[in-house]
Amino acid sequence: MSTTQQRPQLRLVSSQDEWDIALTYFADFQRSAGLADTTIRNRASFVRTLRRRCGKSYEDVTLADLRRHLGRPDISAGTRRTERGALVAFFRFLLEDELRGDDPTVRLAPVTAPKGTPRPFTREQVDAMLESGAYRKTRAMILLGYYQGFRVSQIAAVHGGDVDRLTSTIRTVGKGQKERRLPLHPVIGALADEMPADGWWFPARGTRTGHVRGASVTDLVTKAKIRAGITDPKLTPHSLRHAFGTDLVEAEVDIRVVQELMMHESLATTQIYTGVSERRKRAAVAALPGRVVPIRSGRSTPRAA
């Protein structure tokens, strides 16, 4: 049976339900391609924002609608670029799955955004969060972010079986479902003694099985940040990962090693961490030798005729 024969009900439901059904199919498609749950949820959120602002069936969305939506002034260039990518993926899927007859994103202009810069917590700020009254599991999340450089999705999914004492490594799954074994930091090794040896470190609550979602990690770490009196809105739980990369560079670890530890596909992504060390900037300026500066110009004073 063809795709169009399987899904005639889409035109028989309300516009909102139609979007929800399409998003369910879109999620299945992405999972079959191996995309991470975080990516799938984020893309769905962007699509729902378009639906809410546009107020149309997805079949009726035009190029002008998309331009108006992405051109709104209340989002940053980086968010605009990410949002465009999500919408392009969604409408391309609708076309390929015969849920729509054309793709309105084909002529949607690319979005340029300035090169990102890390937003790391300082070591003092990390200490302040650990001492803020955060519960044990929240402290464990903070430590995993700083000492292993894990993203919130990786933190959420840590299992006791991921820790290998013989090789002193920890298994994790990064972007694109890429599995790696990374060196286990001694602080995390000591933490493992307190955490389940054969279970999720952060199990889901209530009727859900498995581990907590990355969003739960974000919420808990953010609360610790607020309790610590850290008010900078640019500092997020992901800033723990930025602190990991920044402090490795500060410690003069080879940039290729930092790339491997952070599981970056491109060295260019890792190299943004080389530009954030204030200590190195000051040391570089101080490396220029001093000199004796003449007090006077040395020019002779002209005499009157």
PDB file of all heavy atoms in Angstrom, residues 192-208:
ATOM      1  N   ALA A 192      31.425   7.064  41.064  1.00  0.00           N
ATOM      2  CA  ALA A 192      30.839   5.782  40.678  1.00  0.00           C
ATOM      3  C   ALA A 192      30.683   4.847  41.872  1.00  0.00           C
ATOM      4  O   ALA A 192      29.791   3.991  41.885  1.00  0.00           O
ATOM      5  CB  ALA A 192      31.684   5.122  39.588  1.00  0.00           C
ATOM      6  N   ASP A 193      31.544   5.010  42.884  1.00  0.00           N
ATOM      7  CA  ASP A 193      31.436   4.166  44.082  1.00  0.00           C
ATOM      8  C   ASP A 193      30.144   4.428  44.836  1.00  0.00           C
ATOM      9  O   ASP A 193      29.676   3.572  45.598  1.00  0.00           O
ATOM     10  CB  ASP A 193      32.632   4.430  45.010  1.00  0.00           C
ATOM     11  CG  ASP A 193      33.944   3.979  44.402  1.00  0.00           C
ATOM     12  OD1 ASP A 193      33.919   3.076  43.536  1.00  0.00           O
ATOM     13  OD2 ASP A 193      34.995   4.541  44.775  1.00  0.00           O
ATOM     14  N   GLU A 194      29.564   5.622  44.650  1.00  0.00           N
ATOM     15  CA  GLU A 194      28.352   5.993  45.370  1.00  0.00           C
ATOM     16  C   GLU A 194      27.083   5.766  44.549  1.00  0.00           C
ATOM     17  O   GLU A 194      25.978   5.844  45.076  1.00  0.00           O
ATOM     18  CB  GLU A 194      28.410   7.479  45.766  1.00  0.00           C
ATOM     19  CG  GLU A 194      29.660   7.880  46.516  1.00  0.00           C
ATOM     20  CD  GLU A 194      29.764   9.392  46.666  1.00  0.00           C
ATOM     21  OE1 GLU A 194      28.773  10.076  46.324  1.00  0.00           O
ATOM     22  OE2 GLU A 194      30.821   9.874  47.104  1.00  0.00           O
ATOM     23  N   MET A 195      27.247   5.516  43.252  1.00  0.00           N
ATOM     24  CA  MET A 195      26.107   5.417  42.346  1.00  0.00           C
ATOM     25  C   MET A 195      25.815   3.946  42.027  1.00  0.00           C
ATOM     26  O   MET A 195      26.657   3.070  42.270  1.00  0.00           O
ATOM     27  CB  MET A 195      26.395   6.190  41.060  1.00  0.00           C
ATOM     28  CG  MET A 195      26.768   7.655  41.273  1.00  0.00           C
ATOM     29  SD  MET A 195      25.479   8.623  42.084  1.00  0.00           S
ATOM     30  CE  MET A 195      24.341   8.862  40.721  1.00  0.00           C
ATOM     31  N   PRO A 196      24.626   3.645  41.481  1.00  0.00           N
ATOM     32  CA  PRO A 196      24.283   2.249  41.158  1.00  0.00           C
ATOM     33  C   PRO A 196      25.314   1.606  40.227  1.00  0.00           C
ATOM     34  O   PRO A 196      25.681   2.181  39.208  1.00  0.00           O
ATOM     35  CB  PRO A 196      22.927   2.370  40.460  1.00  0.00           C
ATOM     36  CG  PRO A 196      22.344   3.645  40.986  1.00  0.00           C
ATOM     37  CD  PRO A 196      23.512   4.576  41.178  1.00  0.00           C
ATOM     38  N   ALA A 197      25.770   0.424  40.592  1.00  0.00           N
ATOM     39  CA  ALA A 197      26.766  -0.267  39.768  1.00  0.00           C
ATOM     40  C   ALA A 197      26.118  -0.984  38.596  1.00  0.00           C
ATOM     41  O   ALA A 197      26.790  -1.282  37.597  1.00  0.00           O
ATOM     42  CB  ALA A 197      27.547  -1.262  40.620  1.00  0.00           C
ATOM     43  N   ASP A 198      24.833  -1.282  38.698  1.00  0.00           N
ATOM     44  CA  ASP A 198      24.149  -2.003  37.625  1.00  0.00           C
ATOM     45  C   ASP A 198      22.751  -1.417  37.412  1.00  0.00           C
ATOM     46  O   ASP A 198      21.740  -2.107  37.498  1.00  0.00           O
ATOM     47  CB  ASP A 198      24.046  -3.491  37.972  1.00  0.00           C
ATOM     48  CG  ASP A 198      23.507  -4.312  36.805  1.00  0.00           C
ATOM     49  OD1 ASP A 198      23.650  -3.849  35.659  1.00  0.00           O
ATOM     50  OD2 ASP A 198      22.930  -5.384  37.052  1.00  0.00           O
ATOM     51  N   GLY A 199      22.715  -0.137  37.157  1.00  0.00           N
ATOM     52  CA  GLY A 199      21.441   0.534  36.919  1.00  0.00           C
ATOM     53  C   GLY A 199      21.684   1.961  36.476  1.00  0.00           C
ATOM     54  O   GLY A 199      22.824   2.445  36.458  1.00  0.00           O
ATOM     55  N   TRP A 200      20.599   2.651  36.110  1.00  0.00           N
ATOM     56  CA  TRP A 200      20.715   4.050  35.703  1.00  0.00           C
ATOM     57  C   TRP A 200      21.134   4.893  36.887  1.00  0.00           C
ATOM     58  O   TRP A 200      20.616   4.731  37.990  1.00  0.00           O
ATOM     59  CB  TRP A 200      19.384   4.563  35.154  1.00  0.00           C
ATOM     60  CG  TRP A 200      18.866   3.822  33.968  1.00  0.00           C
ATOM     61  CD1 TRP A 200      17.768   3.012  33.913  1.00  0.00           C
ATOM     62  CD2 TRP A 200      19.436   3.814  32.652  1.00  0.00           C
ATOM     63  NE1 TRP A 200      17.612   2.491  32.653  1.00  0.00           N
ATOM     64  CE2 TRP A 200      18.614   2.968  31.850  1.00  0.00           C
ATOM     65  CE3 TRP A 200      20.538   4.434  32.079  1.00  0.00           C
ATOM     66  CZ2 TRP A 200      18.881   2.735  30.504  1.00  0.00           C
ATOM     67  CZ3 TRP A 200      20.803   4.198  30.735  1.00  0.00           C
ATOM     68  CH2 TRP A 200      19.976   3.360  29.969  1.00  0.00           C
ATOM     69  N   TRP A 201      22.061   5.806  36.656  1.00  0.00           N
ATOM     70  CA  TRP A 201      22.436   6.724  37.726  1.00  0.00           C
ATOM     71  C   TRP A 201      21.311   7.709  38.032  1.00  0.00           C
ATOM     72  O   TRP A 201      21.148   8.134  39.159  1.00  0.00           O
ATOM     73  CB  TRP A 201      23.707   7.490  37.326  1.00  0.00           C
ATOM     74  CG  TRP A 201      24.949   6.670  37.482  1.00  0.00           C
ATOM     75  CD1 TRP A 201      25.040   5.312  37.622  1.00  0.00           C
ATOM     76  CD2 TRP A 201      26.303   7.157  37.526  1.00  0.00           C
ATOM     77  NE1 TRP A 201      26.354   4.922  37.736  1.00  0.00           N
ATOM     78  CE2 TRP A 201      27.150   6.039  37.673  1.00  0.00           C
ATOM     79  CE3 TRP A 201      26.871   8.422  37.420  1.00  0.00           C
ATOM     80  CZ2 TRP A 201      28.541   6.150  37.756  1.00  0.00           C
ATOM     81  CZ3 TRP A 201      28.260   8.542  37.490  1.00  0.00           C
ATOM     82  CH2 TRP A 201      29.083   7.417  37.663  1.00  0.00           C
ATOM     83  N   PHE A 202      20.527   8.024  37.007  1.00  0.00           N
ATOM     84  CA  PHE A 202      19.433   8.978  37.181  1.00  0.00           C
ATOM     85  C   PHE A 202      18.146   8.371  36.593  1.00  0.00           C
ATOM     86  O   PHE A 202      17.711   8.745  35.503  1.00  0.00           O
ATOM     87  CB  PHE A 202      19.777  10.307  36.489  1.00  0.00           C
ATOM     88  CG  PHE A 202      21.154  10.810  36.815  1.00  0.00           C
ATOM     89  CD1 PHE A 202      22.166  10.784  35.854  1.00  0.00           C
ATOM     90  CD2 PHE A 202      21.465  11.264  38.081  1.00  0.00           C
ATOM     91  CE1 PHE A 202      23.449  11.236  36.153  1.00  0.00           C
ATOM     92  CE2 PHE A 202      22.746  11.713  38.396  1.00  0.00           C
ATOM     93  CZ  PHE A 202      23.740  11.695  37.428  1.00  0.00           C
ATOM     94  N   PRO A 203      17.544   7.418  37.321  1.00  0.00           N
ATOM     95  CA  PRO A 203      16.366   6.733  36.785  1.00  0.00           C
ATOM     96  C   PRO A 203      15.156   7.658  36.690  1.00  0.00           C
ATOM     97  O   PRO A 203      15.010   8.600  37.480  1.00  0.00           O
ATOM     98  CB  PRO A 203      16.122   5.608  37.801  1.00  0.00           C
ATOM     99  CG  PRO A 203      16.755   6.103  39.068  1.00  0.00           C
ATOM    100  CD  PRO A 203      17.943   6.918  38.642  1.00  0.00           C
ATOM    101  N   ALA A 204      14.311   7.384  35.710  1.00  0.00           N
ATOM    102  CA  ALA A 204      13.075   8.160  35.547  1.00  0.00           C
ATOM    103  C   ALA A 204      12.153   7.895  36.725  1.00  0.00           C
ATOM    104  O   ALA A 204      12.184   6.825  37.345  1.00  0.00           O
ATOM    105  CB  ALA A 204      12.400   7.780  34.237  1.00  0.00           C
ATOM    106  N   ARG A 205      11.313   8.879  37.010  1.00  0.00           N
ATOM    107  CA  ARG A 205      10.365   8.748  38.124  1.00  0.00           C
ATOM    108  C   ARG A 205       8.971   8.418  37.616  1.00  0.00           C
ATOM    109  O   ARG A 205       8.685   8.528  36.431  1.00  0.00           O
ATOM    110  CB  ARG A 205      10.329  10.050  38.928  1.00  0.00           C
ATOM    111  CG  ARG A 205      11.630  10.358  39.657  1.00  0.00           C
ATOM    112  CD  ARG A 205      11.483  11.607  40.510  1.00  0.00           C
ATOM    113  NE  ARG A 205      12.681  11.879  41.285  1.00  0.00           N
ATOM    114  CZ  ARG A 205      12.789  12.872  42.160  1.00  0.00           C
ATOM    115  NH1 ARG A 205      11.760  13.698  42.351  1.00  0.00           N
ATOM    116  NH2 ARG A 205      13.901  13.055  42.852  1.00  0.00           N
ATOM    117  N   GLY A 206       8.123   8.042  38.564  1.00  0.00           N
ATOM    118  CA  GLY A 206       6.729   7.777  38.230  1.00  0.00           C
ATOM    119  C   GLY A 206       6.581   6.507  37.420  1.00  0.00           C
ATOM    120  O   GLY A 206       7.239   5.497  37.668  1.00  0.00           O
ATOM    121  N   THR A 207       5.719   6.565  36.420  1.00  0.00           N
ATOM    122  CA  THR A 207       5.429   5.378  35.617  1.00  0.00           C
ATOM    123  C   THR A 207       6.416   5.164  34.475  1.00  0.00           C
ATOM    124  O   THR A 207       6.395   4.128  33.825  1.00  0.00           O
ATOM    125  CB  THR A 207       4.008   5.498  35.017  1.00  0.00           C
ATOM    126  OG1 THR A 207       3.923   6.695  34.227  1.00  0.00           O
ATOM    127  CG2 THR A 207       2.963   5.553  36.128  1.00  0.00           C
ATOM    128  N   ARG A 208       7.287   6.162  34.230  1.00  0.00           N
ATOM    129  CA  ARG A 208       8.250   6.029  33.147  1.00  0.00           C
ATOM    130  C   ARG A 208       9.361   5.063  33.530  1.00  0.00           C
ATOM    131  O   ARG A 208       9.752   4.961  34.696  1.00  0.00           O
ATOM    132  CB  ARG A 208       8.869   7.386  32.795  1.00  0.00           C
ATOM    133  CG  ARG A 208       7.953   8.308  32.026  1.00  0.00           C
ATOM    134  CD  ARG A 208       8.712   9.558  31.551  1.00  0.00           C
ATOM    135  NE  ARG A 208       9.796   9.213  30.649  1.00  0.00           N
ATOM    136  CZ  ARG A 208      11.082   9.401  30.921  1.00  0.00           C
ATOM    137  NH1 ARG A 208      11.459   9.928  32.062  1.00  0.00           N
ATOM    138  NH2 ARG A 208      12.002   9.076  30.038  1.00  0.00           N
TER     139      ARG A 208
END
